[in-house]
Amino acid sequence: MKGLFTLAFKLLVNDRGKFAALIIGITFAMFLMVQLTSIFAGILQKASANIINLGARVWIMDPAVNNPLNSIPLPDTVLAAVRSIDGVAYAVPVYSGASLVKLNNGTYQPVTVIGLDDTTLVGRPQLLEGKIEDIYGENAFIVIKDQEYVKLGNPTLGTTFELNDHRGVIVGIAQVTTSGLFGMPTLYTTYGRAIQYIPTQRFTAAYILVEPKSEADIPHIKAQVAALGYLALTKEEFIHRVSNYYKFQTGVGTNILIMTVTSFLVGLSISGQTFYTFVLENLDKFGALKAIGAKNRELIYMILFQAGFTGLTGYGLGVGLSSLLINIAVRKVPGYAGTITFFNLGLALMMLLIIVCFSSYIAARKIIRVEPFEIFRG
Amino acid sequence: MAAVAIQAENLDKWFGEGEARTYAVRQVNFTVPFGQMFYIVGPSGSGKTTLLSMISGILRPNGGRVVVAGEDIWRLSPDALATFRLHTLGFVFQDYHLFPRLTTLENVAIPLILQRWEWSKAMAAAQEMLAVVGLQDRGELRPMQLSGGEQQRVAIARALVAKPTIIVFDEPTASLDGATGKMIIGFVKHDILNDHRCILIVTHDNRIFPYADQMLHMEDGAVVKLDTGGSLEK
Ligand SMILES: Nc1ncnc2c1ncn2[C@@H]1O[C@H](COP(=O)(O)OP(=O)(O)OP(=O)(O)O)[C@@H](O)[C@H]1O
Ligand SMILES: [Mg+2]
């Protein structure tokens, strides 16, 4: 078999023009596919930044919430009701809202303000500078050091600013795993201070964060919350809901889908076309091989080997190119959204397999049909 | 008489069905012993290629029997028949059908590769065979870099490399000039043919007729004459 594969390999790479077209075509298709889906994955991840960063197991929200940006305030009675549900270890409110900060140089900057439950500070970020207890100090805020941090003028401990005519002071610098999609710096403070500083409606809690006593309690909690007329989602479900919002309710998902399908079709047609031409050009030789005693099966293995080899090479190059670019972009472009996930890689690999199978199929079909007798007849 | 290499019995081949049925080969019988050059000659469309294909296990007859080297070949399964061809028959096609993207050496080695030989051993054997046809220093060239006669010799080397006992030529001199054609067939007769081999040649080319041991004349699919006057070579 090794000899047959060597032969197949030589037939493939010795035709430099076609081999180059194949590799470039598949590499390009794979690159685009991985790149596009990674950008989308990056957008989705950033869109769910709060959910990921606050890290609560179960989130309670108004059923109309589909996107963490437009949270709908919950009445305090819900908090009390949730706390009395069996299986709830604890439940705390969290504030999440946007506001304007006036910097010392007089300019305004929109920010996201997260207000953590005063007693427990559930969802606190990991501090790089300062102590978490300082959040209880007068006018205290913690700033997140992410790509948007510079927009606040690179504040240090003690930097002051104004927020709705209230004085604010930075008491801590923290980091979170995921920064937001909307290019706004994030400030953390206590729930109490957040609703005091930022004008709100009668209802104030954006979400209620729940820690169940055990995983088994979650279905019960969800049912009880539903009975109250609200929605309880696990962290994963909430992220999924946000993804679906971007996938299906905004143009982003559709466009990425169209582009991904297009690059798939480009790869498919280049590869299919090239393999077909390759077989067509060598059809008489394949017929001669059959006359000499090659079995259809062996010729198909050769084609599969060629298609598999070019496919995997193109996949490797495409994925490599994409990770390289995303890596550079993440480092150089603030707020760049792009994450290569295993799902993306798997999806591209699946597309590749379809391309390989399709190309082999149309090539093999031609080879199976060639009659050695026709070769003799000339 | 020497052992029988090929025996054809009542061979029939037709194309089309019903009204449109036309016979390409009808009731052909002959026997070729080992050690002979057997020619199939006749006008265009007389059924020579069809007959040759049936004898060499490439085209299934509609009727009759072909026994090659003791094997009733059309009773074999398609895979077994392919294996039989690979080990027993060597083919030289009119247009050679060499892979243009492979070297001469690699082209010659193909039957051995199909026989699952190791690559390096196959190349060594192919090199020896190239030497037999006098092209030992052309192994690394591509077929297109060779002359027509040289390509023909490469095709012969490929047909011989697996040491088949039956070698089949279809119009071997059609693309060659007269002198080269004669030279090649002379070479085949003197250096390739031996007591354990049998060579079948389909040809129009009467300049190479003198090398024949038997000559089957066909017309409209039927045998009109069988010359068995021994070697006609002067
Ligand atoms: N696949 C086919 N379908 C229909 N008719 C065919 C087919 N193959 C061969 N024939 C017919 O069979 C007859 C014999 O053809 P064959 O190719 O064997 O002739 P030939 O003697 O080799 O001719 P040439 O010297 O031109 O090569 C011809 O009439 C041809 O048209
Ligand atoms: Mg013919």
Side-chain angles (χ1 to χ4, degrees):
Chain A
M1 225 43 171
K2 239 173 84 192
L4 277 183
F5 291 150
T6 312
L7 196 65
F9 180 76
K10 286 183 176 249
L11 283 172
L12 176 71
V13 299
N14 286 357
D15 196 341
R16 295 235 177 87
K18 275 196 204 63
F19 185 57
L22 270 174
I23 293 287
I24 292 170
I26 293 181
T27 300
F28 200 64
M30 289 298 124
F31 166 73
L32 279 178
M33 248 182 262
V34 173
Q35 189 76 10
L36 288 166
T37 52
S38 298
I39 287 170
F40 194 46
I43 290 174
L44 291 184
Q45 192 188 32
K46 280 170 172 273
S48 297
N50 279 346
I51 310 171
I52 295 165
N53 292 335
L54 290 172
R57 189 69 199 95
V58 176
W59 292 64
I60 292 171
M61 66 200 77
D62 190 281
V65 171
N66 48 22
N67 170 354
L69 197 66
N70 47 23
S71 53
I72 297 167
L74 303 168
D76 297 340
T77 50
V78 182
L79 180 60
V82 168
R83 282 181 170 156
S84 65
I85 294 173
D86 268 354
V88 170
Y90 60 80
V92 296
V94 66
Y95 175 87
S96 166
S99 191
L100 271 183
V101 158
K102 188 179 181 195
L103 303 178
N104 282 328
N105 63 11
T107 59
Y108 286 89
Q109 169 63 46
V111 292
T112 302
V113 176
I114 306 281
L116 302 176
D117 177 51
D118 292 58
T119 43
T120 58
L121 298 182
V122 166
R124 67 188 75 168
Q126 191 195 341
L127 269 84
L128 301 168
E129 287 178 50
K131 296 193 300 290
I132 191 70
E133 298 80 46
D134 294 341
I135 202 171
Y136 296 119
E138 217 177 321
N139 306 322
F141 285 83
I142 291 169
V143 65
I144 299 300
K145 191 165 187 177
D146 56 12
Q147 288 130 340
E148 320 303 339
Y149 173 73
V150 290
K151 295 179 180 169
L152 291 173
N154 292 319
T156 53
L157 295 186
T159 301
T160 57
F161 55 88
E162 271 178 44
L163 197 150
N164 291 330
D165 297 332
H166 293 276
R167 188 173 168 273
V169 59
I170 300 294
V171 298
I173 297 174
Q175 65 177 9
V176 291
T177 42
T178 306
S179 58
L181 179 61
F182 303 100
M184 289 198 283
T186 308
L187 294 174
Y188 277 66
T189 187
T190 60
Y191 182 76
R193 184 171 300 117
I195 61 176
Q196 185 196 341
Y197 280 25
I198 299 166
T200 49
Q201 295 160 283
R202 191 153 57 87
F203 303 148
T204 49
Y207 301 100
I208 293 168
L209 308 182
V210 172
E211 186 60 34
K213 286 184 178 139
S214 78
E215 284 292 304
D217 291 318
I218 292 179
H220 170 69
I221 295 172
K222 287 169 82 165
Q224 291 294 306
V225 170
L228 293 171
Y230 291 91
L231 181 64
L233 295 177
T234 62
K235 180 179 165 185
E236 294 75 23
E237 287 168 340
F238 194 14
I239 292 175
H240 191 66
R241 188 178 171 88
V242 172
S243 310
N244 281 346
Y245 171 75
Y246 281 92
K247 275 181 207 158
F248 303 117
Q249 318 252 343
T250 70
V252 183
T254 324
N255 282 317
I256 298 270
L257 183 71
I258 290 173
M259 292 299 290
T260 309
V261 169
T262 307
S263 43
F264 166 69
L265 290 178
V266 168
L268 187 73
S269 50
I270 292 182
S271 166
Q273 163 80 34
T274 313
F275 264 99
Y276 188 72
T277 324
F278 168 75
V279 167
L280 220 53
E281 271 176 18
N282 289 296
L283 202 57
D284 62 309
K285 284 88 182 179
F286 283 114
L289 286 190
K290 277 172 127 179
I292 290 171
K295 300 175 183 81
N296 277 333
R297 203 175 338 113
E298 294 167 333
L299 299 178
I300 291 169
Y301 289 154
M302 286 171 69
I303 293 288
L304 275 174
F305 176 79
Q306 293 175 332
F309 178 81
T310 37
L312 287 179
T313 308
Y315 181 75
L317 289 174
V319 170
L321 196 62
S322 185
S323 6
L324 185 74
L325 271 172
I326 288 177
N327 252 310
I328 293 174
V330 164
R331 243 171 263 162
K332 303 273 174 197
V333 185
Y336 180 84
T339 325
I340 298 186
T341 65
F342 282 113
F343 177 76
N344 298 343
L345 295 180
L347 187 77
L349 191 63
M350 242 178 60
M351 300 278 188
L352 176 82
L353 282 182
I354 296 175
I355 291 177
V356 165
C357 290
F358 173 77
S359 310
S360 313
Y361 171 74
I362 57 170
R365 207 176 62 142
K366 203 81 200 154
I367 288 185
I368 289 173
R369 290 200 179 157
V370 64
E371 282 291 337
F373 174 55
E374 300 303 326
I375 301 308
F376 253 138
R377 296 227 309 142
Chain B
M1 185 166 162
V4 173
I6 297 167
Q7 189 175 358
E9 284 175 20
N10 304 325
L11 276 182
D12 274 331
K13 181 72 197 177
W14 64 74
F15 294 101
E17 285 304 330
E19 293 277 289
R21 178 186 285 189
T22 52
Y23 278 84
V25 168
R26 191 193 281 260
Q27 290 296 308
V28 170
N29 292 279
F30 63 83
T31 303
V32 190
F34 280 110
Q36 280 203 356
M37 293 264 262
F38 185 84
Y39 278 43
I40 302 171
V41 301
S44 186
S46 57
K48 306 184 294 293
T49 300
T50 308
L51 178 60
L52 187 71
S53 302
M54 291 191 290
I55 298 164
S56 50
I58 279 176
L59 182 69
R60 180 175 288 276
N62 293 110
R65 212 159 75 100
V66 180
V67 181
V68 177
E71 192 75 60
D72 188 349
I73 60 170
W74 289 109
R75 303 183 71 134
L76 296 171
S77 70
D79 271 7
L81 182 55
T83 306
F84 178 81
R85 287 200 304 269
L86 185 57
H87 288 91
T88 313
L89 283 122
F91 291 91
V92 180
F93 310 96
Q94 179 178 336
D95 301 320
Y96 319 143
H97 302 295
L98 301 169
F99 279 102
R101 306 280 175 187
L102 296 180
T103 64
T104 302
L105 191 65
E106 288 159 355
N107 267 294
V108 170
I110 282 177
L112 300 179
I113 298 299
L114 289 174
Q115 285 188 13
R116 302 283 196 277
W117 281 43
E118 238 174 68
W119 187 265
S120 56
K121 285 187 184 156
M123 291 306 139
Q127 183 58 44
E128 274 178 38
M129 198 45 70
L130 272 181
V132 170
V133 298
L135 294 175
Q136 57 279 8
D137 54 351
R138 297 285 202 277
E140 291 312 311
L141 297 181
R142 296 285 166 89
M144 294 306 164
Q145 295 172 297
L146 303 179
S147 72
E150 286 172 329
Q151 290 183 43
Q152 179 67 294
R153 282 191 275 163
V154 173
I156 293 174
R158 180 177 65 180
L160 293 175
V161 74
K163 311 230 180 307
T165 47
I166 316 280
I167 302 144
V168 170
F169 290 79
D170 193 22
E171 307 279 5
T173 57
S175 324
L176 304 176
D177 64 78
T180 311
K182 277 180 85 161
M183 203 189 75
I184 288 210
I185 300 305
F187 163 77
V188 168
K189 174 115 195 184
H190 292 293
D191 295 319
I192 305 303
L193 186 63
N194 60 37
D195 289 346
H196 314 287
R197 280 198 163 136
C198 161
I199 291 171
L200 281 181
I201 297 183
V202 162
T203 187
H204 277 107
D205 184 355
N206 55 20
R207 288 169 305 196
I208 60 169
F209 282 6
Y211 297 101
D213 295 306
Q214 289 196 76
M215 207 174 324
L216 188 78
H217 294 265
M218 294 190 69
E219 247 167 62
D220 287 336
V223 177
V224 290
K225 190 167 81 165
L226 182 62
D227 284 335
T228 51
S231 175
L232 302 165
E233 195 183 356
K234 312 262 153 23

